[in-house]
Amino acid sequence: MNKTLIAYFSRRDENYVGISKEVLKVGNTELVVDKIKELTGADVFEIAMKKPYSKGYEDCMREARADLDNNARPELVSLPSSIDGYENIILAYPNYFDTMPMAVFTFLDAFDFAG
């Protein structure tokens, strides 16, 4: 049986829901990941930054843009000790400026995906 890991970055706090902003206790990406986990039984790992972005949407986007412009690798709360036991790794994240949040790059940089 193939083991699957879903590594995800999700944003709580002020966020868009449809065309309006609301304060979310659970981020949109996390909601989707919970459903995928329920359907597949995959393991889940949250990519969480030690210093999260601001709670306000516009401030968060300014900070995320600065990280992108600086090619930053934000420090994460933790990392899995290994990903060796996984046949499949699914990444889930919001689209920030036509790419991944820089914390996802931090996660990817921590492991060797060769082979």
Side-chain angles (χ1 to χ4, degrees), residues 84-102:
D84 291 342
Y86 294 102
E87 182 74 20
N88 303 298
I89 297 176
I90 298 170
L91 295 176
Y93 51 85
N95 183 330
Y96 283 5
F97 312 103
D98 297 323
T99 191
M100 301 180 289
M102 299 312 286

Side-chain angles (χ1 to χ4, degrees), residues 22-42:
E22 295 179 22
V23 176
L24 304 178
K25 292 182 181 191
V26 178
N28 293 320
T29 304
E30 187 174 357
L31 291 172
V32 173
V33 167
D34 287 345
K35 189 61 158 175
I36 295 169
K37 176 185 165 87
E38 179 184 314
L39 294 170
T40 66

Side-chain angles (χ1 to χ4, degrees), residues 94-115:
N95 183 330
Y96 283 5
F97 312 103
D98 297 323
T99 191
M100 301 180 289
M102 299 312 286
V104 178
F105 287 100
T106 303
F107 173 83
L108 292 172
D109 288 348
F111 300 101
D112 179 4
F113 289 93

Side-chain angles (χ1 to χ4, degrees), residues 60-79:
C60 168
M61 290 297 102
R62 274 192 290 278
E63 294 162 1
R65 184 67 207 206
D67 277 355
L68 175 62
D69 290 346
N70 293 313
N71 199 28
R73 295 297 189 268
E75 190 174 356
L76 303 181
V77 171
S78 66
L79 285 164

